[in-house]
Amino acid sequence: MMDSATIRQKFLQFFESKGHQIVPSAPLVLKNDPSLLFTNSGMVQFKDYFLGNSIPKYKRVVDTQKCLRVSGKHNDLEDVGLDTYHHTMFEMLGNWSFGDYFKKEAIGWAWELLTDVYQLPKDRLYVTVFGGDKADGLPVDDEAKDLWKQFVADDRILNGSKKDNFWEMGEAGPCGPCSEIHIDLRPESDVKKKPGRELVNSDHPQVVEIWNLVFIQFNRLASGTLEPLPDKHVDTGMGFERLCMAIQAKMSNYDTDVFRPLMDFIAQHAGTKYGADSKTDIAIRVMADHVRAVSFAIADGQLPSNTGAGYVIRRILRRAVRYGFSYLNFKEPFMYRLVPLLGIQLREVFPELHQQMEYVGRVMHEEEISFLRTLERGLKRIESIPTITGVQAFELYDTFGFPFDLTSLIARERGLAVDEKAFIVEMEKQKTRSKTAAVKETGDWILIGDEGKSEFIGYDHFSATSRIIKYRRVKQKSKEVFQFVLDKTPFYAESGGQVGDTGKLESINEKISVIDTKKENDLIIHFAETLPEKLDAEFYASVDEGKRKLTMNNHSATHLLHAALRQILGKHVEQKGSLVNEKILRFDFSHFAAMTEVEIYKVEAIVNQKVRENIRLNEQRDVPIEKAKGMGAMALFGEKYGEHVRVITFDPKFSVELCGGTHIPATGNIGLFKIVSESSVAAGVRRIEAVTAEGAQEYVNGSLALLNEIKTLLKNPKDTTSFLQNLLEEKHALEKRVETMNQEQANQIKDKLAAKAVKINGYTLILERITLPNVEALKNIAYGLRNQFEDLLLVLATDIDGKPQVAVMIGEKLETTKRFHAGNLVKELAKEIDGGGGGQPFYATAGGRNLGGLQTVLDKAKLLIKE
RNA sequence: GGGGGAUUAGCUCAGCUGGCUAGAGCGCUUCCAUGGCAUGGAAGAGGUCAUCGGUUCGAAUCCGUUAUUCUCCA
């Protein structure tokens, strides 16, 4: 039987033999694309070719692409694992033609590969072609149909709808008919009962689409009309896991050798077998599937977090932990143990995971621990709720992250049901709230003149004479911004951690501020709050040079820091994130322990040494990637590189990096490099923040000024630290002494009051007016007297710092008789001082505004007691 | 980006509708008992209740700010 690695290899080799270039998979996590969080199909990395934003290096390309789908028409995260054919992460095999071959070759090769190379049974294959669409004025795709007829009998070629057989990139843009290949994997007996053609496209788990051939031949305009493209493209995608199922003749993707090793490992450690029970089977599938998605996302640089793509990853991992926890009794972190298995399994195709197994495992382990803690807290909380309403279940989920299915499970164990409808209602409320807050209206691009190419000249110039190619308006929360694309621009768009440039666009009679510059795929977009009146004018575009130069200092310093860290800490240090602006540089990197002070000091010293050496920048553009790697430049995981890259070198023996950012001409510009903080961002990831040049100077001056101020205040002691320490200790001791003295003073007053006690009506009465320094003293006296007389009735009318305060205390024995209630008494008395009060049955206090009422308080107290 | 929580002793947390001299368990210190143990007993130390501001006679508790953190949604 052909194993999965061979199946993949044969695909790549087959198309290589047909003149295709094998290219690596793009990272799973996307950057610079506001419309998408993850690569969800093979074509994503080639989008710019179809849109005409950039020119392909090869006309024929083949690859296998890591894809992630957690939402969409047929795939919701909550469904994965319940059935046997949905996945979060999957591989998509694809071959591409960029303006080269078209339908004839694509169809012929597809058939050859499936039937010749893979030996799939011809009589079990069905194909669909586009059946035409009246609204678009398109006929049946007879071209494809006729081509298929060479290989496939007429009754196995089906016409498909626009929904299934017409592919579009978006509302507008490249599109075209497609042709799908389906396979019927049912047993012979079932096939006899019902022919496969009746089950195509009807969600049958054994009659599935395995390959989609897209023929991009139109461009849909914003108006909705179609125009033929001058260059026609082929974009195909074949689900790798399904293909394996078909070739290995399995009933499900999960039965192939792609998943089985993981599933057997899970089952073994759970003390069960896959296939033993439908509940545990689901849990095993969920874990096996999810660990792939999470591992590769982390390997591609996406840490679990509480927003955006990171949150999706967190949710996937938590879902797996939840299933393991509930059905397989995994109460300790377990998912992370699957990482090495997966890394080794896919070492050849996706080396990024194998190379980072320890790092990925640590991050996952930490995330599992944190979720198990959340579960534990939730379980504790749920115990205190007797009956759980839908709203409460939602609160548990929304605020404390406690999953709904666990809540209803616990409720069921108590013989109760949770109102799921109410839960869903609350959930919907939450969703609409978020959606209305995030509403963003993006207008269509409006072209000014002819659409031309946009050129970035910011590596060499701070200004340019430019024209606007196109613009659009974007509205969010009543704030409106305009976005421009220029034919020539000196503005650096936010990328690789370096912030976007700000600056000005000036024409003869107008001046527009550019507030930010960002990338959308490869397009450089300038942001402004106003729209020029004369859009077709010539503009003098200039970036804020001061800000840019400070940013360049910080960016170059980041490279020096990276190299220094690898020298001091070791080669396991890899960039995991970076932020560079005019004020600060922030650098996240993989390292498994907090840095010691000595290490920080050494790293800082190396960087400053390199600054003083004033090493000249060596910037090389268009270096072939292999050559760049040969020079010692490290490629970052999760970063997408072209065939040619830009290499930034400060001393070939020290720092060589692939980088698109802007840099200073020589390291001396940095002046001074100062690390401000070292902290943790996640398990296995440390963060350093540092400042350079003016920023460093300000930082150092500020710290020294503060130190001097402190020293002066302390009258310049020899050893400031120990002096301060002594001072603090002394202060503490004095506070304690003051407290005991107050206590003593209160005791004296207490004794005087005790002497005035009179015994009447079976209790000891103390009724006095006194002056005290604070409420604490009053409390102390009252409690002191309570300890002294068990049948005490105390009413004190006090003047505390000019404010009247009344206290009533009742002795322990007297309290049990319930003759008096301190709280009620004090409430009555409080009226006399224009205040209010309360407390417990035996001790209560009241405050007020009217100091003059203190005497009346005592008189009234006498009356009340007699009653 | 939007919503909801949380922040109290070295650690894990109680403290209900404002007034219980701010508590528990573990840990720590000292003493006693035991050959040893995550041993038994006794005494004790340790808190600007995150921050700043407001309401109130009175705030750990109510309201707002900031910070940190957890969590859900986009």
Side-chain angles (χ1 to χ4, degrees), chain A residues 57-294:
Chain A
K57 287 267 174 352
Y58 305 102
K59 296 206 148 197
R60 298 179 181 189
V61 159
V62 61
D63 73 355
T64 177
Q65 173 67 48
K66 295 175 279 187
C67 298
L68 189 64
R69 284 185 193 175
V70 285
S71 58
K73 51 179 178 176
H74 289 313
N75 203 14
D76 210 351
L77 176 60
E78 288 303 320
D79 291 336
V80 175
L82 301 186
D83 56 45
T84 56
Y85 50 96
H86 279 126
H87 300 294
T88 51
M89 189 197 120
F90 60 95
E91 281 180 58
M92 194 179 269
L93 303 167
N95 58 294
W96 276 269
S97 155
F98 306 118
D100 192 38
Y101 65 81
F102 205 48
K103 292 181 192 176
K104 179 168 171 278
E105 294 83 349
I107 288 172
W109 287 336
W111 190 257
E112 186 187 340
L113 178 70
L114 293 180
T115 58
D116 250 32
V117 178
Y118 291 141
Q119 295 281 316
L120 288 172
K122 292 177 184 171
D123 60 338
R124 290 297 189 99
L125 294 173
Y126 294 83
V127 298
T128 63
V129 297
F130 177 53
D133 186 79
K134 276 191 188 139
D136 281 330
L138 292 173
V140 178
D141 188 359
D142 283 324
E143 192 186 352
K145 201 168 205 170
D146 290 340
L147 287 164
W148 279 120
K149 281 183 181 165
Q150 308 169 59
F151 313 111
V152 187
D154 276 12
D155 66 333
R156 293 210 313 279
I157 303 175
L158 310 166
N159 281 351
S161 64
K162 185 177 170 184
K163 179 176 145 277
D164 286 324
N165 285 74
F166 195 84
W167 180 89
E168 309 210 33
M169 189 184 275
E171 299 272 309
C175 56
C178 59
S179 193
E180 296 174 343
I181 303 166
H182 296 250
I183 190 163
D184 183 355
L185 296 165
R186 293 174 301 157
E188 200 58 43
S189 53
D190 287 5
V191 177
K192 276 185 184 139
K193 276 182 227 154
K194 196 170 190 180
R197 57 172 292 136
E198 288 173 27
L199 291 168
V200 166
N201 270 331
S202 55
D203 285 336
H204 190 288
Q206 267 100 41
V207 183
V208 292
E209 172 204 334
I210 50 172
W211 204 346
N212 189 6
L213 316 177
V214 180
F215 311 116
I216 301 174
Q217 59 189 110
F218 300 110
N219 182 33
R220 191 180 289 278
L221 302 173
S223 62
T225 54
L226 296 170
E227 60 174 22
L229 283 173
D231 282 336
K232 294 179 173 54
H233 315 290
V234 172
D235 155 20
T236 84
M238 174 148 64
F240 171 67
E241 294 78 9
R242 282 186 185 179
L243 178 67
C244 290
M245 160 171 80
I247 294 173
Q248 298 176 358
K250 301 290 185 190
M251 293 297 280
S252 128
N253 296 354
Y254 288 97
D255 293 329
T256 65
D257 68 334
V258 177
F259 291 96
R260 269 324 272 264
L262 291 170
M263 290 165 58
D264 290 342
F265 185 85
I266 296 165
Q268 189 197 328
H269 285 83
T272 179
K273 272 208 159 97
Y274 183 63
D277 173 82
S278 67
K279 280 254 168 65
T280 55
D281 283 358
I282 290 174
I284 292 169
R285 285 196 295 267
V286 166
M287 292 178 85
D289 174 274
H290 291 6
V291 74
R292 289 162 37 99
V294 177

